[in-house]
Amino acid sequence: MGAYEDLLEATIDHLSVQRARGQRHVTVSPDKIDALFTALPEPNGQYDADETPLGQLCQRAIACKKCPNLISTRTQVVFGVGNPQADLMFVGEAPGQDEDRQGEPFVGAAGKLLTKIIETMGLSRDDVYIANILKCRPDTPGRNTGNRAPTTEEMATCVPWLHEQIDLVQPKVLVALGKTAVGGLLEKEVAITRFRGQWQTYRSIPLMPTFHPAYLLHKQSLAEKRKVWEDMLTVMEKIKLPISEKQRGFFL
């Protein structure tokens, strides 16, 4: 970690000096780009590669260089977090700005809502496993803020990492959050309003499509929130979690 930070700090200092001198473009050799990624810090909430197969997969994902545009703008790889033997696994589309900074999926505003959903189910984030289709934040050329959905090509390149995660975790149920996650797992275009709440199957694992938490943040409708909660009640029944009357009547 220290060696990486020293290298990164030296690079930033050098670029700052060049910018102060009026230089607006730099040429970087492939060898120097490789050097920046030889000692990447381990993302928060990950596993020791010497101890678990999931940790070894994480380290392989960290070393991936298949998407140069994502490598050049990401802060770190956001692999996954939670119980490596979880019965329930949530899958989103890609890290956003907050996730890229902290190295953990679903930690921004949408992540806080997902955490609330999980806790209302009677679980914690440590009880479930959370991952994304993409492990790197999609780049946003010309923009300093905001996020974008991954492209079809980016998903096709990155989704094998998720397939391996699912194979290792072996959850009893998958919950796909939003159109992109559903389509990425089922490998086809989907209309989330039609698929939402309808059981699908991923490699013999029951898959529940539902709205992404970010959708609920923008769509402040009790009816839409209730739809997501009804999906979670169905999931709870599938994995045989106890359901109280309060939970049955809950609105997010």
Side-chain angles (χ1 to χ4, degrees), residues 21-237:
R21 292 175 177 175
Q23 187 169 343
R24 292 294 176 263
H25 299 87
V26 295
T27 300
V28 183
S29 69
D31 290 342
K32 290 182 179 179
I33 290 292
D34 288 342
L36 286 172
F37 294 97
T38 56
L40 281 172
E42 184 176 342
N44 298 333
Q46 311 306 341
Y47 301 89
D48 189 329
D50 296 330
E51 294 183 358
T52 70
L54 202 57
Q56 293 173 1
L57 179 64
C58 174
Q59 294 303 314
R60 285 166 46 211
I62 288 173
C64 178
K65 301 178 183 178
K66 293 181 179 179
C67 301
N69 60 312
L70 304 187
I71 291 173
S72 65
T73 59
R74 75 186 181 197
T75 300
Q76 55 189 317
V77 171
V78 183
F79 181 71
V81 70
N83 183 354
Q85 298 176 319
D87 289 340
L88 179 57
M89 181 171 177
F90 290 87
V91 176
E93 60 180 50
Q97 188 173 22
D98 293 322
E99 290 76 17
D100 178 62
R101 183 171 58 251
Q102 298 185 42
E104 183 174 332
F106 284 94
V107 293
K112 291 178 181 177
L113 180 52
L114 177 60
T115 299
K116 179 180 178 183
I117 292 171
I118 292 169
E119 291 176 346
T120 305
M121 296 172 75
L123 302 170
S124 72
R125 286 175 65 103
D126 291 335
D127 295 320
V128 304
Y129 194 82
I130 306 172
N132 284 309
I133 300 285
L134 252 63
K135 306 308 179 194
C136 297
R137 182 192 180 198
D139 57 331
T140 53
R143 292 162 48 191
N144 295 323
T145 60
N147 302 306
R148 70 164 175 85
T151 65
T152 301
E153 293 75 16
E154 289 167 345
M155 288 194 292
T157 300
C158 201
V159 77
W161 297 116
L162 177 65
H163 292 168
E164 289 194 59
Q165 280 177 292
I166 295 171
D167 289 344
L168 289 171
V169 176
Q170 296 185 334
K172 293 179 179 178
V173 169
L174 287 163
V175 174
L177 301 166
K179 173 183 176 180
T180 303
V182 178
L185 286 171
L186 298 182
E187 298 182 344
K188 63 181 180 182
E189 284 290 324
V190 301
I192 188 62
T193 52
R194 183 167 63 86
F195 275 70
R196 194 232 101 233
Q198 304 298 316
W199 283 111
Q200 306 294 318
T201 302
Y202 166 87
R203 297 187 184 184
S204 77
I205 301 173
L207 167 64
M208 173 57 72
T210 194
F211 294 135
H212 194 285
Y215 169 79
L216 299 181
L217 294 177
H218 295 292
K219 188 82 170 181
Q220 292 293 330
S221 163
L222 288 179
E224 297 300 283
K225 293 179 179 180
R226 177 63 191 182
K227 288 177 184 176
V228 172
W229 183 241
E230 288 174 352
D231 296 342
M232 296 305 100
L233 290 173
T234 303
V235 168
M236 291 172 69
E237 290 172 350

Side-chain angles (χ1 to χ4, degrees), residues 2-18 36:
Y4 174 82
E5 289 179 336
D6 290 344
L7 179 60
L8 183 60
E9 184 176 354
T11 302
I12 293 172
D13 289 345
H14 173 73
L15 293 174
S16 297
V17 170
Q18 297 305 309
L36 286 172

